[in-house]
Amino acid sequence: MQIFGVDIGGSGIKGAPVDLDRGDLADDRFKVLTPQPSSPDEVAESVKEVVHHFAWQGPVGITFPGVVTDGATVRTAANVDKSWIDVDARALLSDRIGGLPVTVVNDADAAGVAEMHFGAGQGRGGTVFVLTFGTGIGSALFIDGRLVPNTELGHLELHGHDAEKHASTKVKEDHDLSWEHWAKRVQRYLAHVEMLFSPELFIIGGGVSRKARKFLPLIKGLKAELVPAQLQNNAGIVGAAMQAAKSAE
Ligand code: BGC
């Protein structure tokens, strides 16, 4: 079965039909730049462009980089335009793409669901975190394979700061931090999450997971196992489609 997945990110909006049996894209993905300002109306136009590129007809799963309740309503918007808060994104986006059924899900939760099913978390029980490092830090918590949605651990306080303002990939780039310096910050962040939840496994996702070899070996002292995500950049698209398939059942 195929379902369309769209990933709304801080820099790009990308989508493709997803083959849910293989957990992979069924076609090359299509990407447009995230409009600035990233207001609901502008972003909805970009989502429309991506969906129409494939002349897609059928259910669509869409990630959003903030808290999303009931597959529909946006509650926070740390790294996108604040006018998203309290918008019924499901209604807005569905309306814009000709009434196709839409499910909206937090971006890290979507990536996590895909990673647990098709990637590094396959068959893993206990307490598992999938953390995505990018513009912000996203978190997805799984207890015996079941998602606890909207955990938002990127906003834990670390040294008096919002953790994602200290250890995201964007911070590394903006301040030109070395891998060693940034890995120390990530290590402190992971140690903090470990102190609170004692997970068995951390799966590190987001675009930077492609470069896992440069920083994961520098992270020491954790009791939990630490592994890179396997689906990397497509995890959000795949997970969004998986969640849409669940809603369509
Ligand atoms: C948002 C999360 C999101 C993460 C990654 C954070 O700023 O609050 O909802 O998952 O960024 O995009």
Side-chain angles (χ1 to χ4, degrees), residues 116-230:
M116 291 301 286
H117 202 82
F118 293 108
Q122 277 180 71
R124 296 296 299 251
T127 304
V128 176
F129 275 105
V130 179
L131 299 171
T132 63
F133 289 78
T135 311
I137 298 177
S139 63
L141 167 61
F142 293 85
I143 313 287
D144 289 333
R146 206 185 143 102
L147 172 69
V148 181
N150 291 312
T151 43
E152 290 293 314
L153 297 189
H155 300 294
L156 281 176
E157 194 178 306
L158 201 63
H159 302 291
H161 296 283
D162 197 20
E164 74 174 23
K165 298 269 182 314
H166 187 69
S168 68
T169 316
K170 182 171 187 300
V171 170
K172 177 182 184 309
E173 285 161 7
D174 288 353
H175 299 278
D176 204 14
L177 303 180
S178 65
W179 286 107
E180 289 72 18
H181 188 161
W182 183 66
K184 273 214 179 76
R185 291 184 176 202
V186 175
Q187 178 175 311
R188 268 186 234 130
Y189 173 67
L190 295 177
H192 193 62
V193 176
E194 184 169 83
M195 186 265 291
L196 294 169
F197 293 92
S198 302
E200 277 92 50
L201 174 64
F202 283 116
I203 300 173
I204 305 300
V208 77
S209 58
R210 263 180 287 130
K211 300 189 182 144
R213 254 177 286 141
K214 296 204 183 223
F215 70 97
L216 284 193
L218 303 172
I219 296 174
K220 313 264 184 233
L222 297 173
K223 292 186 186 64
E225 199 183 327
L226 183 63
V227 299
Q230 287 172 6

